[in-house]
Amino acid sequence: MEEKLNLTSEWDKVFPQSDKVNHRKVTFHNRYGITLAADLYEPKGLSGKLPAIAVSGPFGAIKEQSSGLYAQAMAERGFLTIAFDPSYTGESGGQPRYVASPDINTEDFMAAVDFLSVQENVDPERIGIIGICGWGGMALNAAALDTRIKATVASTMYDMTRVNAKGYFDSEDSEEARYEKKKALCEQRIRDYKDDSYALGGGVVDPLPEDAPFFVKDYYDYYKTERGYHPRSLNSNGGWNVTGCESFLNMPILKYSDEIRSAVLLVHGEKAHSCYFSKDAFAKLTGDNKELMIIPGAVHTDLYDRMDIIPFDKITEFFDSYLA
């Protein structure tokens, strides 16, 4: 039985509503019993069985932000789409709040495919997914597991398991560094248990330190300004349950990415701090239906919402080719 969610009825996205698509709220459940909230975008004037795309990300963001913009833009191009809030996040269910899990969040994508597969106006043989930033890695993990997914786009992909296990740019890639990190997390668990609470970590640093690295400034400029702020976004207001991120240390989500048989398009900004994720992931992919697209001059968050930079024509061409 699905959990009853409190869904916002008014349009509260950070992007304008399109007059080319129909929009409505929907819910579906994953196999952990968590009910997920989603926005469904349906192209006007089209009938019959449509190709469909599920979208989520970035990590800490909600469907009213980047994923919704992608979903609406792809619906304008003829696809039935959903942008969903991952488990424990936004308007989706799950307790405690603000938990991330490589297993559950991969399942979220697969549950979205379950939902799309049974819609009367969706062709279940033509389903793709889009993962943005941290959810780009989850999307590839889902594609390595779910044979129903025919095409995957990972936009400005970020491998959360690699960063947790090895640090930024693999700067903490040692057994000793991982031990100290695990030790700190376990000590935090004891404090949390005594306090009957869950410590939050991550999110966007505020105030911004003067010596902050460029990528930290990039995130800050996006989530702390009108461009990317939303009151339900964790990146705008706080962080994740620290203990919820422990499993990212020893569950590399791209371990079986070389077994992905369906089509994959990796899109990344040339100046994005995380560009090495997409390049390394692409090097591991096999088959002639895989492609890496580097956007000249683009930084990480440019691919969140910059309509003049996100290569929607290329993404549409990609899905048209493999969801035909």
Side-chain angles (χ1 to χ4, degrees), residues 54 65 71 114 133 148 159 170 185 204 248 257:
Q65 298 173 297
D114 294 340
C133 192
R148 301 168 300 173
D159 184 348
D170 299 339
L185 288 169
V204 176
F248 285 92
S257 59

Side-chain angles (χ1 to χ4, degrees), residues 56-59 131-138 154-160 219 274 300 304:
S56 196
F59 181 64
I132 306 163
C133 192
W135 256 251
M138 301 294 184
S155 181
T156 198
M157 190 200 79
Y158 182 98
D159 184 348
M160 292 166 54
Y219 283 132
S274 57
H300 191 83
Y304 285 3

Side-chain angles (χ1 to χ4, degrees), residues 262-281:
S262 56
V264 173
L265 171 64
L266 303 178
V267 182
H268 223 109
E270 177 190 25
K271 295 185 177 180
H273 71 279
S274 57
C275 194
Y276 68 101
F277 290 128
S278 287
K279 291 179 178 178
D280 290 355

Side-chain angles (χ1 to χ4, degrees), residues 97-153:
R97 303 303 291 168
Y98 315 140
V99 174
S101 161
D103 186 23
I104 295 175
N105 296 141
T106 297
E107 161 64 20
D108 289 342
F109 261 122
M110 298 181 69
V113 175
D114 294 340
F115 171 80
L116 290 173
S117 295
V118 300
Q119 302 308 301
E120 290 185 358
N121 56 345
V122 168
D123 183 345
E125 298 300 319
R126 294 191 291 163
I127 294 177
I129 60 175
I130 299 176
I132 306 163
C133 192
W135 256 251
M138 301 294 184
L140 290 181
N141 197 37
L145 187 61
D146 195 328
T147 59
R148 301 168 300 173
I149 297 172
K150 299 303 189 294
T152 300
V153 170

Side-chain angles (χ1 to χ4, degrees), residues 34 87-89 92-100 197-198 240-241 243-244:
I34 300 170
S87 295
Y88 311 107
T89 308
S92 286
Q95 293 291 336
R97 303 303 291 168
Y98 315 140
V99 174
S197 65
Y198 297 90
W240 287 82
N241 178 340
T243 54

Side-chain angles (χ1 to χ4, degrees), residues 143-186:
L145 187 61
D146 195 328
T147 59
R148 301 168 300 173
I149 297 172
K150 299 303 189 294
T152 300
V153 170
S155 181
T156 198
M157 190 200 79
Y158 182 98
D159 184 348
M160 292 166 54
T161 54
R162 181 170 172 177
V163 168
N164 276 274
K166 300 182 179 182
Y168 271 107
F169 304 105
D170 299 339
S171 60
E172 301 171 353
D173 187 13
S174 71
E175 181 180 345
E176 184 62 27
R178 276 187 285 276
Y179 178 83
E180 291 301 321
K181 190 178 297 185
K182 289 182 282 189
K183 181 180 177 182
L185 288 169
C186 289

